[in-house]
Every structure is written in C-alpha cells, then in structure tokens.
Amino acid sequence: MLQTSLSVFSSITLIDVLVFIIPFVLAVLVDLLTHKSGHKITMGNALMWSIIWVLCSAGFGYYIWHSRGAEAGSLYATGYVLEKALALDNLFAFYLIFKSFGLTQENRQHFQHRILYWGILGAIIFRFVFLGFGALIVNVSPYILILFALVVLWTVWKMWKSGEDDEEVDYTSHWSVLAVRKFASTNPSIESGKFFHHGVTPLFLCLICIEVCDVIFAFDSMPVIVAVVRDPYLMITSSLWAAAGLRSLYFLLVAAQGLFWALDKAVMVLLIFVSGKLIGSAFGFHLPNVVSLSIVAVVLLTGVVWSLAVKAPEDGENGDIAEK
C-alpha cells in the first residue's frame, strides 16, 4: 500500500525538479528583495507584481503543456485557479487580523508588508508539506477521498457561518497570541518596526497569528487541490506558484473586495462541486479534466459578472476591507 502511494512520485525527474525550483526560487527572491524595505505598497505596485506572478506561472504552465501534453496543462491550470480562488477568503482573514492589531491605520499600513514578507514564505512551506502528504495518502484507500470531501464541506460551512456573523473576531485574543504572551515578555509598542524590541512586539504576535492561520488554510486547501489534480508534481507546482503571488494579491483584494462581493459565494459553490468530485472519485466516477477546468472557470466568472451587475445585498457588507 505504501509502495503504491510512493509510486506516484516516481514520474518526477530531476529535470522536472530543476525546471520548477530554479525559476521559482529566483522569482521569490526577486520579489522579496525588491520589497525588503517594507515601504507602503501602492495599488499600481500590487497590480504590476500580480501580473508578473501570473506571467511567471503561465510560463511554467507552458512548460507543462509542452513537456507533458494538453491534459497535464489543463490540470496545472485548474490547480492554479482553484488555489487563487481559495486564497480570496484566506486573505480577507489576513485583513481582519491586521485590523485587530491596528495595522490598517494610515500611518501603520506599511507594517502589513513586513509581516506578509515572512507570512507568504510560511504559506509556501506549509502548502508544500500538506500537498506532499496529501499526494502520499490519497491512493491508500478510497475512504480517504470521502474524508477529504467532509473536510471540504466543513470549510464551506465555516465560510457560510462567517458570512452570517456580523461580529468581528478580535485576533489579539487568538489562542496562538495568548500562548506566546504566556511564555514571553511583550512590548506593546510597534514604533520600532521590529518583531523583537525589549520583548516580543505586536508585529511578532500578528505574524504568529498569520502563520497559524496559514497552517489551517493550507490544510483546508489540500483536499480541494487533491480532488482535481492527482499528479503530485502538478499539484505542488500549481499551488506554490499561486501561493507565491499572494502578497500582491492581498493588496489588490483590499482595494477591490467591495467590488467583487459575490466571489466568496462562487468559491463556496466551487467547494461543493469539489466535495462531490471527491465522493464520485471514491466510487470510481471521474470527470474529464477539461470539464473540471471549465466548471471552475464558469463559476468564478459568474461570481465576477454577478458582482459587477448586481449591487451588494447590504451596503455595509464587505465594506470594512475596502476602506483605505
């Protein structure tokens, strides 16, 4: 059984690893070094880097299509789009964390980048670990797929409940923050701009909260990607290329969340589709890859068009994240 699970990694060659690792690491380093100063990120800068990351991801997708064929290319594209779609709700949670720590104020917004600088690295590492584990155990038993489907439906339920709950969560009292405060001395001032200054600062506490949420998000997204992309190479590379561009996507989301208010509803519909696909796969029913990609694209496009064509049900809904 374990041998069968490990065999899915046997098709990955050294060339495959190098073609992914070299440009990916270079792109991450260029992005991080370019924004190392921690200055405030403008809308134009976020848009430019989002486009750069999409182009880099598309370039790698072309390599997949050229070397492995159109079917593998469609699987890579599906995994990438799914990861980006799931990130929308995750990044909204990041905004609420920043808001709880007072980092959405005009004179403190530049601290968000400093935290995301390390937070996105955590997102990449956690996704690599969870997706590798998911690819390893998915072929152990068909019941694993049903378990994954239940995890996805649990994610849908959490998203639905969070949309109904008007009360904001105070992340300064999150269990991860309280745990750090219990074992380390804290300095309530963030003016130093450092994570450690006469004790741990609120910036470090905010980073810890972001990283813990990253673990949860990576775990939640793992069964979704596994449902559509079984090839571990395509699964991991599509997810990591998508995760690497989350920093720029976050700043775009802050500016545009109020505009695309229906996207979270579209994501919930996608997750229900994915859970059904997992259950179907457990019983030997498989949708063609092109059909899965088409459904993902149509649902997301519907969410965008619906947001632009119809006014949000409540004027205050999603309004907080749009404020600058």
Side-chain angles (χ1 to χ4, degrees), residues 93 96-103 108 168-182 186 188 190 201-210 213:
L96 295 180
I97 293 173
F98 287 140
K99 187 174 182 181
S100 293
F101 282 89
L103 301 184
R108 294 181 173 182
E168 289 190 5
V169 178
D170 181 11
Y171 284 95
T172 60
S173 299
H174 191 264
W175 64 265
S176 60
V177 174
L178 297 179
V180 173
R181 284 176 169 167
K182 184 176 181 180
T186 59
I190 66 171
T201 68
L203 296 183
F204 180 76
L205 296 176
C206 184
L207 175 62
I208 290 295
C209 195
I210 290 284
C213 289

PDB file of all heavy atoms in Angstrom, residues 93 96-103 108 168-182 186 188 190 201-210 213:
ATOM      1  N   ALA A  93      -9.246  37.104   5.716  1.00  0.00           N
ATOM      2  CA  ALA A  93      -8.968  36.838   7.131  1.00  0.00           C
ATOM      3  C   ALA A  93      -7.693  37.548   7.559  1.00  0.00           C
ATOM      4  O   ALA A  93      -7.598  38.057   8.687  1.00  0.00           O
ATOM      5  CB  ALA A  93      -8.854  35.333   7.374  1.00  0.00           C
ATOM      6  N   LEU A  96      -8.511  41.075   8.447  1.00  0.00           N
ATOM      7  CA  LEU A  96      -9.149  41.190   9.759  1.00  0.00           C
ATOM      8  C   LEU A  96      -8.123  41.051  10.882  1.00  0.00           C
ATOM      9  O   LEU A  96      -8.252  41.693  11.931  1.00  0.00           O
ATOM     10  CB  LEU A  96     -10.244  40.125   9.899  1.00  0.00           C
ATOM     11  CG  LEU A  96     -11.436  40.273   8.950  1.00  0.00           C
ATOM     12  CD1 LEU A  96     -12.447  39.155   9.194  1.00  0.00           C
ATOM     13  CD2 LEU A  96     -12.101  41.631   9.098  1.00  0.00           C
ATOM     14  N   ILE A  97      -7.108  40.207  10.665  1.00  0.00           N
ATOM     15  CA  ILE A  97      -6.032  40.088  11.655  1.00  0.00           C
ATOM     16  C   ILE A  97      -5.278  41.405  11.755  1.00  0.00           C
ATOM     17  O   ILE A  97      -5.020  41.911  12.853  1.00  0.00           O
ATOM     18  CB  ILE A  97      -5.080  38.934  11.278  1.00  0.00           C
ATOM     19  CG1 ILE A  97      -5.801  37.587  11.391  1.00  0.00           C
ATOM     20  CG2 ILE A  97      -3.841  38.938  12.177  1.00  0.00           C
ATOM     21  CD1 ILE A  97      -4.990  36.418  10.886  1.00  0.00           C
ATOM     22  N   PHE A  98      -4.924  41.977  10.608  1.00  0.00           N
ATOM     23  CA  PHE A  98      -4.228  43.269  10.613  1.00  0.00           C
ATOM     24  C   PHE A  98      -5.073  44.344  11.290  1.00  0.00           C
ATOM     25  O   PHE A  98      -4.561  45.189  12.026  1.00  0.00           O
ATOM     26  CB  PHE A  98      -3.892  43.693   9.183  1.00  0.00           C
ATOM     27  CG  PHE A  98      -2.777  42.906   8.548  1.00  0.00           C
ATOM     28  CD1 PHE A  98      -2.848  42.528   7.223  1.00  0.00           C
ATOM     29  CD2 PHE A  98      -1.656  42.550   9.279  1.00  0.00           C
ATOM     30  CE1 PHE A  98      -1.825  41.808   6.637  1.00  0.00           C
ATOM     31  CE2 PHE A  98      -0.618  41.825   8.703  1.00  0.00           C
ATOM     32  CZ  PHE A  98      -0.712  41.454   7.379  1.00  0.00           C
ATOM     33  N   LYS A  99      -6.377  44.304  11.030  1.00  0.00           N
ATOM     34  CA  LYS A  99      -7.266  45.300  11.622  1.00  0.00           C
ATOM     35  C   LYS A  99      -7.310  45.161  13.139  1.00  0.00           C
ATOM     36  O   LYS A  99      -7.317  46.159  13.871  1.00  0.00           O
ATOM     37  CB  LYS A  99      -8.665  45.159  11.035  1.00  0.00           C
ATOM     38  CG  LYS A  99      -9.627  46.272  11.456  1.00  0.00           C
ATOM     39  CD  LYS A  99     -10.957  46.143  10.729  1.00  0.00           C
ATOM     40  CE  LYS A  99     -11.885  47.288  11.128  1.00  0.00           C
ATOM     41  NZ  LYS A  99     -13.208  47.191  10.451  1.00  0.00           N
ATOM     42  N   SER A 100      -7.329  43.922  13.626  1.00  0.00           N
ATOM     43  CA  SER A 100      -7.357  43.687  15.069  1.00  0.00           C
ATOM     44  C   SER A 100      -6.117  44.268  15.745  1.00  0.00           C
ATOM     45  O   SER A 100      -6.180  44.767  16.865  1.00  0.00           O
ATOM     46  CB  SER A 100      -7.450  42.188  15.365  1.00  0.00           C
ATOM     47  OG  SER A 100      -8.693  41.658  14.951  1.00  0.00           O
ATOM     48  N   PHE A 101      -4.974  44.208  15.049  1.00  0.00           N
ATOM     49  CA  PHE A 101      -3.720  44.705  15.617  1.00  0.00           C
ATOM     50  C   PHE A 101      -3.471  46.172  15.275  1.00  0.00           C
ATOM     51  O   PHE A 101      -2.388  46.697  15.537  1.00  0.00           O
ATOM     52  CB  PHE A 101      -2.545  43.851  15.131  1.00  0.00           C
ATOM     53  CG  PHE A 101      -2.425  42.531  15.839  1.00  0.00           C
ATOM     54  CD1 PHE A 101      -3.099  41.417  15.367  1.00  0.00           C
ATOM     55  CD2 PHE A 101      -1.662  42.401  16.989  1.00  0.00           C
ATOM     56  CE1 PHE A 101      -3.003  40.192  16.007  1.00  0.00           C
ATOM     57  CE2 PHE A 101      -1.556  41.189  17.644  1.00  0.00           C
ATOM     58  CZ  PHE A 101      -2.233  40.069  17.161  1.00  0.00           C
ATOM     59  N   GLY A 102      -4.467  46.834  14.679  1.00  0.00           N
ATOM     60  CA  GLY A 102      -4.349  48.261  14.391  1.00  0.00           C
ATOM     61  C   GLY A 102      -3.432  48.593  13.232  1.00  0.00           C
ATOM     62  O   GLY A 102      -2.955  49.726  13.122  1.00  0.00           O
ATOM     63  N   LEU A 103      -3.179  47.626  12.345  1.00  0.00           N
ATOM     64  CA  LEU A 103      -2.225  47.844  11.258  1.00  0.00           C
ATOM     65  C   LEU A 103      -2.886  48.290   9.961  1.00  0.00           C
ATOM     66  O   LEU A 103      -2.227  48.380   8.932  1.00  0.00           O
ATOM     67  CB  LEU A 103      -1.427  46.554  11.004  1.00  0.00           C
ATOM     68  CG  LEU A 103      -0.634  46.028  12.199  1.00  0.00           C
ATOM     69  CD1 LEU A 103       0.178  44.802  11.798  1.00  0.00           C
ATOM     70  CD2 LEU A 103       0.274  47.103  12.780  1.00  0.00           C
ATOM     71  N   ARG A 108       0.251  53.099   9.738  1.00  0.00           N
ATOM     72  CA  ARG A 108       0.796  51.785  10.105  1.00  0.00           C
ATOM     73  C   ARG A 108       0.639  50.739   9.008  1.00  0.00           C
ATOM     74  O   ARG A 108       1.038  49.589   9.183  1.00  0.00           O
ATOM     75  CB  ARG A 108       0.103  51.275  11.381  1.00  0.00           C
ATOM     76  CG  ARG A 108       0.394  52.114  12.615  1.00  0.00           C
ATOM     77  CD  ARG A 108      -0.299  51.526  13.831  1.00  0.00           C
ATOM     78  NE  ARG A 108       0.089  52.204  15.057  1.00  0.00           N
ATOM     79  CZ  ARG A 108      -0.342  51.863  16.267  1.00  0.00           C
ATOM     80  NH1 ARG A 108      -1.187  50.838  16.399  1.00  0.00           N
ATOM     81  NH2 ARG A 108       0.066  52.516  17.338  1.00  0.00           N
ATOM     82  N   GLU A 168     -17.093  40.958  14.491  1.00  0.00           N
ATOM     83  CA  GLU A 168     -15.709  40.726  14.100  1.00  0.00           C
ATOM     84  C   GLU A 168     -14.945  40.006  15.213  1.00  0.00           C
ATOM     85  O   GLU A 168     -15.162  40.246  16.394  1.00  0.00           O
ATOM     86  CB  GLU A 168     -15.013  42.052  13.774  1.00  0.00           C
ATOM     87  CG  GLU A 168     -15.484  42.683  12.483  1.00  0.00           C
ATOM     88  CD  GLU A 168     -14.605  43.856  12.084  1.00  0.00           C
ATOM     89  OE1 GLU A 168     -13.587  44.098  12.773  1.00  0.00           O
ATOM     90  OE2 GLU A 168     -14.938  44.528  11.099  1.00  0.00           O
ATOM     91  N   VAL A 169     -14.030  39.129  14.785  1.00  0.00           N
ATOM     92  CA  VAL A 169     -13.203  38.394  15.730  1.00  0.00           C
ATOM     93  C   VAL A 169     -12.040  39.283  16.162  1.00  0.00           C
ATOM     94  O   VAL A 169     -11.412  39.956  15.340  1.00  0.00           O
ATOM     95  CB  VAL A 169     -12.659  37.104  15.078  1.00  0.00           C
ATOM     96  CG1 VAL A 169     -11.753  36.352  16.050  1.00  0.00           C
ATOM     97  CG2 VAL A 169     -13.816  36.223  14.631  1.00  0.00           C
ATOM     98  N   ASP A 170     -11.752  39.281  17.458  1.00  0.00           N
ATOM     99  CA  ASP A 170     -10.601  40.020  17.971  1.00  0.00           C
ATOM    100  C   ASP A 170      -9.405  39.076  17.991  1.00  0.00           C
ATOM    101  O   ASP A 170      -9.252  38.261  18.894  1.00  0.00           O
ATOM    102  CB  ASP A 170     -10.889  40.550  19.376  1.00  0.00           C
ATOM    103  CG  ASP A 170      -9.728  41.343  19.947  1.00  0.00           C
ATOM    104  OD1 ASP A 170      -8.782  41.655  19.185  1.00  0.00           O
ATOM    105  OD2 ASP A 170      -9.734  41.620  21.163  1.00  0.00           O
ATOM    106  N   TYR A 171      -8.548  39.198  16.977  1.00  0.00           N
ATOM    107  CA  TYR A 171      -7.427  38.279  16.850  1.00  0.00           C
ATOM    108  C   TYR A 171      -6.311  38.564  17.844  1.00  0.00           C
ATOM    109  O   TYR A 171      -5.385  37.762  17.973  1.00  0.00           O
ATOM    110  CB  TYR A 171      -6.878  38.308  15.425  1.00  0.00           C
ATOM    111  CG  TYR A 171      -7.750  37.552  14.447  1.00  0.00           C
ATOM    112  CD1 TYR A 171      -8.711  38.224  13.685  1.00  0.00           C
ATOM    113  CD2 TYR A 171      -7.622  36.181  14.293  1.00  0.00           C
ATOM    114  CE1 TYR A 171      -9.522  37.532  12.790  1.00  0.00           C
ATOM    115  CE2 TYR A 171      -8.426  35.482  13.401  1.00  0.00           C
ATOM    116  CZ  TYR A 171      -9.375  36.169  12.658  1.00  0.00           C
ATOM    117  OH  TYR A 171     -10.181  35.480  11.776  1.00  0.00           O
ATOM    118  N   THR A 172      -6.381  39.687  18.549  1.00  0.00           N
ATOM    119  CA  THR A 172      -5.390  39.929  19.601  1.00  0.00           C
ATOM    120  C   THR A 172      -5.601  38.980  20.769  1.00  0.00           C
ATOM    121  O   THR A 172      -4.725  38.849  21.620  1.00  0.00           O
ATOM    122  CB  THR A 172      -5.457  41.386  20.091  1.00  0.00           C
ATOM    123  OG1 THR A 172      -6.767  41.651  20.617  1.00  0.00           O
ATOM    124  CG2 THR A 172      -5.143  42.364  18.969  1.00  0.00           C
ATOM    125  N   SER A 173      -6.761  38.327  20.794  1.00  0.00           N
ATOM    126  CA  SER A 173      -7.040  37.331  21.831  1.00  0.00           C
ATOM    127  C   SER A 173      -7.055  35.912  21.262  1.00  0.00           C
ATOM    128  O   SER A 173      -7.561  34.986  21.890  1.00  0.00           O
ATOM    129  CB  SER A 173      -8.393  37.632  22.498  1.00  0.00           C
ATOM    130  OG  SER A 173      -8.393  38.898  23.114  1.00  0.00           O
ATOM    131  N   HIS A 174      -6.518  35.747  20.057  1.00  0.00           N
ATOM    132  CA  HIS A 174      -6.431  34.418  19.446  1.00  0.00           C
ATOM    133  C   HIS A 174      -5.567  33.506  20.317  1.00  0.00           C
ATOM    134  O   HIS A 174      -4.623  33.963  20.970  1.00  0.00           O
ATOM    135  CB  HIS A 174      -5.818  34.541  18.046  1.00  0.00           C
ATOM    136  CG  HIS A 174      -5.916  33.302  17.224  1.00  0.00           C
ATOM    137  ND1 HIS A 174      -4.892  32.384  17.144  1.00  0.00           N
ATOM    138  CD2 HIS A 174      -6.915  32.818  16.436  1.00  0.00           C
ATOM    139  CE1 HIS A 174      -5.244  31.384  16.339  1.00  0.00           C
ATOM    140  NE2 HIS A 174      -6.471  31.627  15.901  1.00  0.00           N
ATOM    141  N   TRP A 175      -5.878  32.220  20.324  1.00  0.00           N
ATOM    142  CA  TRP A 175      -5.166  31.296  21.221  1.00  0.00           C
ATOM    143  C   TRP A 175      -3.660  31.281  20.967  1.00  0.00           C
ATOM    144  O   TRP A 175      -2.863  31.116  21.905  1.00  0.00           O
ATOM    145  CB  TRP A 175      -5.730  29.881  21.096  1.00  0.00           C
ATOM    146  CG  TRP A 175      -5.547  29.230  19.752  1.00  0.00           C
ATOM    147  CD1 TRP A 175      -6.441  29.200  18.732  1.00  0.00           C
ATOM    148  CD2 TRP A 175      -4.391  28.520  19.295  1.00  0.00           C
ATOM    149  NE1 TRP A 175      -5.921  28.526  17.654  1.00  0.00           N
ATOM    150  CE2 TRP A 175      -4.667  28.085  17.968  1.00  0.00           C
ATOM    151  CE3 TRP A 175      -3.162  28.212  19.868  1.00  0.00           C
ATOM    152  CZ2 TRP A 175      -3.747  27.362  17.222  1.00  0.00           C
ATOM    153  CZ3 TRP A 175      -2.235  27.490  19.114  1.00  0.00           C
ATOM    154  CH2 TRP A 175      -2.538  27.074  17.819  1.00  0.00           C
ATOM    155  N   SER A 176      -3.252  31.469  19.695  1.00  0.00           N
ATOM    156  CA  SER A 176      -1.817  31.474  19.389  1.00  0.00           C
ATOM    157  C   SER A 176      -1.125  32.685  20.007  1.00  0.00           C
ATOM    158  O   SER A 176       0.018  32.596  20.489  1.00  0.00           O
ATOM    159  CB  SER A 176      -1.604  31.459  17.876  1.00  0.00           C
ATOM    160  OG  SER A 176      -2.191  32.605  17.273  1.00  0.00           O
ATOM    161  N   VAL A 177      -1.826  33.827  19.993  1.00  0.00           N
ATOM    162  CA  VAL A 177      -1.280  35.049  20.594  1.00  0.00           C
ATOM    163  C   VAL A 177      -1.196  34.914  22.109  1.00  0.00           C
ATOM    164  O   VAL A 177      -0.186  35.279  22.728  1.00  0.00           O
ATOM    165  CB  VAL A 177      -2.148  36.262  20.205  1.00  0.00           C
ATOM    166  CG1 VAL A 177      -1.682  37.518  20.938  1.00  0.00           C
ATOM    167  CG2 VAL A 177      -2.133  36.468  18.698  1.00  0.00           C
ATOM    168  N   LEU A 178      -2.234  34.376  22.705  1.00  0.00           N
ATOM    169  CA  LEU A 178      -2.239  34.185  24.160  1.00  0.00           C
ATOM    170  C   LEU A 178      -1.146  33.218  24.598  1.00  0.00           C
ATOM    171  O   LEU A 178      -0.537  33.388  25.662  1.00  0.00           O
ATOM    172  CB  LEU A 178      -3.611  33.661  24.606  1.00  0.00           C
ATOM    173  CG  LEU A 178      -4.796  34.603  24.356  1.00  0.00           C
ATOM    174  CD1 LEU A 178      -6.098  33.942  24.820  1.00  0.00           C
ATOM    175  CD2 LEU A 178      -4.590  35.930  25.080  1.00  0.00           C
ATOM    176  N   ALA A 179      -0.866  32.195  23.762  1.00  0.00           N
ATOM    177  CA  ALA A 179       0.183  31.223  24.088  1.00  0.00           C
ATOM    178  C   ALA A 179       1.554  31.889  24.102  1.00  0.00           C
ATOM    179  O   ALA A 179       2.378  31.628  24.991  1.00  0.00           O
ATOM    180  CB  ALA A 179       0.159  30.076  23.086  1.00  0.00           C
ATOM    181  N   VAL A 180       1.821  32.769  23.129  1.00  0.00           N
ATOM    182  CA  VAL A 180       3.103  33.480  23.090  1.00  0.00           C
ATOM    183  C   VAL A 180       3.231  34.410  24.286  1.00  0.00           C
ATOM    184  O   VAL A 180       4.287  34.479  24.931  1.00  0.00           O
ATOM    185  CB  VAL A 180       3.242  34.266  21.769  1.00  0.00           C
ATOM    186  CG1 VAL A 180       4.499  35.137  21.798  1.00  0.00           C
ATOM    187  CG2 VAL A 180       3.284  33.321  20.585  1.00  0.00           C
ATOM    188  N   ARG A 181       2.155  35.127  24.592  1.00  0.00           N
ATOM    189  CA  ARG A 181       2.187  36.054  25.727  1.00  0.00           C
ATOM    190  C   ARG A 181       2.412  35.330  27.055  1.00  0.00           C
ATOM    191  O   ARG A 181       2.958  35.902  27.998  1.00  0.00           O
ATOM    192  CB  ARG A 181       0.870  36.835  25.774  1.00  0.00           C
ATOM    193  CG  ARG A 181       0.778  37.938  24.728  1.00  0.00           C
ATOM    194  CD  ARG A 181      -0.566  38.611  24.756  1.00  0.00           C
ATOM    195  NE  ARG A 181      -0.575  39.821  23.941  1.00  0.00           N
ATOM    196  CZ  ARG A 181      -1.666  40.477  23.584  1.00  0.00           C
ATOM    197  NH1 ARG A 181      -2.853  40.016  23.978  1.00  0.00           N
ATOM    198  NH2 ARG A 181      -1.589  41.562  22.838  1.00  0.00           N
ATOM    199  N   LYS A 182       1.996  34.078  27.110  1.00  0.00           N
ATOM    200  CA  LYS A 182       2.147  33.313  28.344  1.00  0.00           C
ATOM    201  C   LYS A 182       3.604  32.961  28.627  1.00  0.00           C
ATOM    202  O   LYS A 182       4.030  32.892  29.786  1.00  0.00           O
ATOM    203  CB  LYS A 182       1.309  32.030  28.262  1.00  0.00           C
ATOM    204  CG  LYS A 182       1.309  31.209  29.536  1.00  0.00           C
ATOM    205  CD  LYS A 182       0.377  30.013  29.412  1.00  0.00           C
ATOM    206  CE  LYS A 182       0.365  29.195  30.710  1.00  0.00           C
ATOM    207  NZ  LYS A 182      -0.544  28.013  30.604  1.00  0.00           N
ATOM    208  N   THR A 186       6.245  40.829  26.632  1.00  0.00           N
ATOM    209  CA  THR A 186       5.756  41.570  25.476  1.00  0.00           C
ATOM    210  C   THR A 186       5.976  43.061  25.635  1.00  0.00           C
ATOM    211  O   THR A 186       5.976  43.597  26.751  1.00  0.00           O
ATOM    212  CB  THR A 186       4.244  41.315  25.254  1.00  0.00           C
ATOM    213  OG1 THR A 186       3.519  41.718  26.431  1.00  0.00           O
ATOM    214  CG2 THR A 186       3.989  39.846  24.969  1.00  0.00           C
ATOM    215  N   PRO A 188       4.216  46.448  24.169  1.00  0.00           N
ATOM    216  CA  PRO A 188       3.017  46.856  23.419  1.00  0.00           C
ATOM    217  C   PRO A 188       3.284  47.846  22.291  1.00  0.00           C
ATOM    218  O   PRO A 188       2.396  48.116  21.486  1.00  0.00           O
ATOM    219  CB  PRO A 188       2.127  47.480  24.494  1.00  0.00           C
ATOM    220  CG  PRO A 188       3.083  47.951  25.543  1.00  0.00           C
ATOM    221  CD  PRO A 188       4.196  46.964  25.551  1.00  0.00           C
ATOM    222  N   ILE A 190       4.796  49.287  18.742  1.00  0.00           N
ATOM    223  CA  ILE A 190       5.236  48.787  17.440  1.00  0.00           C
ATOM    224  C   ILE A 190       6.080  49.826  16.703  1.00  0.00           C
ATOM    225  O   ILE A 190       6.461  49.614  15.555  1.00  0.00           O
ATOM    226  CB  ILE A 190       4.034  48.401  16.551  1.00  0.00           C
ATOM    227  CG1 ILE A 190       3.220  49.654  16.196  1.00  0.00           C
ATOM    228  CG2 ILE A 190       3.175  47.352  17.218  1.00  0.00           C
ATOM    229  CD1 ILE A 190       2.159  49.374  15.153  1.00  0.00           C
ATOM    230  N   THR A 201       6.988  42.164  20.139  1.00  0.00           N
ATOM    231  CA  THR A 201       6.116  43.297  19.853  1.00  0.00           C
ATOM    232  C   THR A 201       4.813  42.800  19.231  1.00  0.00           C
ATOM    233  O   THR A 201       4.707  41.643  18.813  1.00  0.00           O
ATOM    234  CB  THR A 201       6.798  44.275  18.877  1.00  0.00           C
ATOM    235  OG1 THR A 201       6.913  43.635  17.593  1.00  0.00           O
ATOM    236  CG2 THR A 201       8.187  44.663  19.375  1.00  0.00           C
ATOM    237  N   PRO A 202       3.809  43.669  19.120  1.00  0.00           N
ATOM    238  CA  PRO A 202       2.564  43.267  18.443  1.00  0.00           C
ATOM    239  C   PRO A 202       2.780  42.802  17.003  1.00  0.00           C
ATOM    240  O   PRO A 202       1.980  42.027  16.491  1.00  0.00           O
ATOM    241  CB  PRO A 202       1.727  44.549  18.493  1.00  0.00           C
ATOM    242  CG  PRO A 202       2.194  45.249  19.727  1.00  0.00           C
ATOM    243  CD  PRO A 202       3.672  44.985  19.776  1.00  0.00           C
ATOM    244  N   LEU A 203       3.850  43.282  16.354  1.00  0.00           N
ATOM    245  CA  LEU A 203       4.144  42.820  14.999  1.00  0.00           C
ATOM    246  C   LEU A 203       4.446  41.324  14.986  1.00  0.00           C
ATOM    247  O   LEU A 203       4.011  40.590  14.088  1.00  0.00           O
ATOM    248  CB  LEU A 203       5.329  43.597  14.411  1.00  0.00           C
ATOM    249  CG  LEU A 203       5.134  45.100  14.198  1.00  0.00           C
ATOM    250  CD1 LEU A 203       6.367  45.709  13.551  1.00  0.00           C
ATOM    251  CD2 LEU A 203       3.899  45.363  13.338  1.00  0.00           C
ATOM    252  N   PHE A 204       5.206  40.856  15.979  1.00  0.00           N
ATOM    253  CA  PHE A 204       5.513  39.426  16.056  1.00  0.00           C
ATOM    254  C   PHE A 204       4.264  38.624  16.395  1.00  0.00           C
ATOM    255  O   PHE A 204       4.043  37.542  15.839  1.00  0.00           O
ATOM    256  CB  PHE A 204       6.598  39.181  17.107  1.00  0.00           C
ATOM    257  CG  PHE A 204       6.967  37.730  17.248  1.00  0.00           C
ATOM    258  CD1 PHE A 204       7.762  37.103  16.305  1.00  0.00           C
ATOM    259  CD2 PHE A 204       6.502  36.987  18.330  1.00  0.00           C
ATOM    260  CE1 PHE A 204       8.090  35.755  16.429  1.00  0.00           C
ATOM    261  CE2 PHE A 204       6.828  35.644  18.463  1.00  0.00           C
ATOM    262  CZ  PHE A 204       7.624  35.027  17.508  1.00  0.00           C
ATOM    263  N   LEU A 205       3.457  39.151  17.304  1.00  0.00           N
ATOM    264  CA  LEU A 205       2.214  38.457  17.670  1.00  0.00           C
ATOM    265  C   LEU A 205       1.288  38.348  16.458  1.00  0.00           C
ATOM    266  O   LEU A 205       0.638  37.312  16.248  1.00  0.00           O
ATOM    267  CB  LEU A 205       1.519  39.204  18.808  1.00  0.00           C
ATOM    268  CG  LEU A 205       2.282  39.269  20.136  1.00  0.00           C
ATOM    269  CD1 LEU A 205       1.511  40.118  21.147  1.00  0.00           C
ATOM    270  CD2 LEU A 205       2.516  37.873  20.691  1.00  0.00           C
ATOM    271  N   CYS A 206       1.238  39.404  15.651  1.00  0.00           N
ATOM    272  CA  CYS A 206       0.422  39.386  14.440  1.00  0.00           C
ATOM    273  C   CYS A 206       0.974  38.355  13.460  1.00  0.00           C
ATOM    274  O   CYS A 206       0.210  37.613  12.826  1.00  0.00           O
ATOM    275  CB  CYS A 206       0.415  40.777  13.811  1.00  0.00           C
ATOM    276  SG  CYS A 206      -0.655  40.927  12.363  1.00  0.00           S
ATOM    277  N   LEU A 207       2.303  38.287  13.327  1.00  0.00           N
ATOM    278  CA  LEU A 207       2.926  37.307  12.435  1.00  0.00           C
ATOM    279  C   LEU A 207       2.605  35.888  12.878  1.00  0.00           C
ATOM    280  O   LEU A 207       2.285  35.030  12.042  1.00  0.00           O
ATOM    281  CB  LEU A 207       4.443  37.518  12.412  1.00  0.00           C
ATOM    282  CG  LEU A 207       5.247  36.478  11.619  1.00  0.00           C
ATOM    283  CD1 LEU A 207       4.851  36.508  10.148  1.00  0.00           C
ATOM    284  CD2 LEU A 207       6.747  36.720  11.787  1.00  0.00           C
ATOM    285  N   ILE A 208       2.670  35.626  14.183  1.00  0.00           N
ATOM    286  CA  ILE A 208       2.349  34.296  14.702  1.00  0.00           C
ATOM    287  C   ILE A 208       0.915  33.923  14.343  1.00  0.00           C
ATOM    288  O   ILE A 208       0.628  32.801  13.903  1.00  0.00           O
ATOM    289  CB  ILE A 208       2.538  34.249  16.228  1.00  0.00           C
ATOM    290  CG1 ILE A 208       4.027  34.318  16.577  1.00  0.00           C
ATOM    291  CG2 ILE A 208       1.902  33.001  16.821  1.00  0.00           C
ATOM    292  CD1 ILE A 208       4.820  33.110  16.106  1.00  0.00           C
ATOM    293  N   CYS A 209      -0.002  34.873  14.504  1.00  0.00           N
ATOM    294  CA  CYS A 209      -1.410  34.627  14.189  1.00  0.00           C
ATOM    295  C   CYS A 209      -1.589  34.341  12.700  1.00  0.00           C
ATOM    296  O   CYS A 209      -2.333  33.432  12.304  1.00  0.00           O
ATOM    297  CB  CYS A 209      -2.244  35.843  14.602  1.00  0.00           C
ATOM    298  SG  CYS A 209      -4.012  35.536  14.667  1.00  0.00           S
ATOM    299  N   ILE A 210      -0.873  35.092  11.852  1.00  0.00           N
ATOM    300  CA  ILE A 210      -0.920  34.874  10.405  1.00  0.00           C
ATOM    301  C   ILE A 210      -0.405  33.484  10.058  1.00  0.00           C
ATOM    302  O   ILE A 210      -1.010  32.754   9.249  1.00  0.00           O
ATOM    303  CB  ILE A 210      -0.081  35.940   9.668  1.00  0.00           C
ATOM    304  CG1 ILE A 210      -0.742  37.323   9.749  1.00  0.00           C
ATOM    305  CG2 ILE A 210       0.167  35.538   8.212  1.00  0.00           C
ATOM    306  CD1 ILE A 210      -1.918  37.508   8.833  1.00  0.00           C
ATOM    307  N   CYS A 213      -2.836  30.735  11.052  1.00  0.00           N
ATOM    308  CA  CYS A 213      -3.935  30.705  10.079  1.00  0.00           C
ATOM    309  C   CYS A 213      -3.474  30.101   8.758  1.00  0.00           C
ATOM    310  O   CYS A 213      -4.248  29.417   8.081  1.00  0.00           O
ATOM    311  CB  CYS A 213      -4.472  32.114   9.859  1.00  0.00           C
ATOM    312  SG  CYS A 213      -5.396  32.777  11.263  1.00  0.00           S
TER     313      CYS A 213
END
